[in-house]
Amino acid sequence: ALPLAAAIALITKMTSSGSAFFTQIRVGKNGTRFTLWKFRTMGEDAEKYGPRWAKPNDQRVTPFGKILRRTHLDELPQLWNILRGELSLVGPRPERPEFVATLQKEIPFYDLRHLVRPGLTGWAQLNYRYGASLDEAYQKLQYDIYYLKHRSISLDIGIVLKTARRFFSAAS
């Protein structure tokens, strides 16, 4: 993955200002916080008005960032998070602490998703669109709870295979 990552970093630097990488604090297993790595897909000042969920056709996304997001190549640096033991390949996607505090207050059992290590991909990501509101976070939680109840190596393999199929169909 290193040659691909180097090419993406170079193109990101050539097509927009700022760092090629973007880091955010996320909430992991048992509520621990860690730094999540991604390739930067938005302009440098994307959060000058504070944290907010990304939306479809978000104006803050750069032209090359749209390609990275569509192909999910922006998440390639998260392999580092997996190597460090902060992420699993499969699990609920980690959320930002600014949102977790609100979601825990508003959505019953939201904290259940922190019983396992978060993942690069997951059941909710495959079965529900990107969540950008309280109602959508609630819907995604239903998929996360399903995953927690039915966690198995066969389910994880199925999720990885379905994710790979989506990745290759998005890249073509």
Side-chain angles (χ1 to χ4, degrees), residues 128-140:
Y128 195 78
R129 66 185 177 271
Y130 183 84
S133 72
L134 186 63
D135 289 335
E136 291 172 347
Y138 175 78
Q139 293 302 320
K140 284 185 79 170

Side-chain angles (χ1 to χ4, degrees), residues 73-93:
L73 287 171
D74 61 320
E75 298 184 1
L76 190 60
Q78 291 173 39
L79 293 174
W80 178 247
N81 292 110
I82 291 172
L83 290 173
R84 291 176 45 97
E86 298 159 332
L87 276 183
S88 290
L89 189 56
V90 178
R93 286 295 292 160

Side-chain angles (χ1 to χ4, degrees), residues 2-23:
L2 279 176
L4 179 59
I8 292 169
L10 182 64
I11 295 169
T12 300
K13 285 295 289 175
M14 292 172 48
T15 59
S16 61
S17 62
S19 172
F21 295 97
F22 177 73
T23 61

Side-chain angles (χ1 to χ4, degrees), residues 72-133:
H72 299 283
L73 287 171
D74 61 320
E75 298 184 1
L76 190 60
Q78 291 173 39
L79 293 174
W80 178 247
N81 292 110
I82 291 172
L83 290 173
R84 291 176 45 97
E86 298 159 332
L87 276 183
S88 290
L89 189 56
V90 178
R93 286 295 292 160
E95 191 54 81
R96 297 173 66 183
E98 300 89 347
F99 300 138
V100 168
T102 301
L103 296 170
Q104 286 174 326
K105 288 180 200 165
E106 300 293 328
I107 301 175
F109 307 110
Y110 184 81
D111 212 32
L112 286 176
R113 60 194 317 276
H114 298 126
L115 292 174
V116 297
R117 193 177 305 155
L120 180 61
T121 187
W123 189 245
Q125 286 70 40
L126 292 175
N127 292 292
Y128 195 78
R129 66 185 177 271
Y130 183 84
S133 72

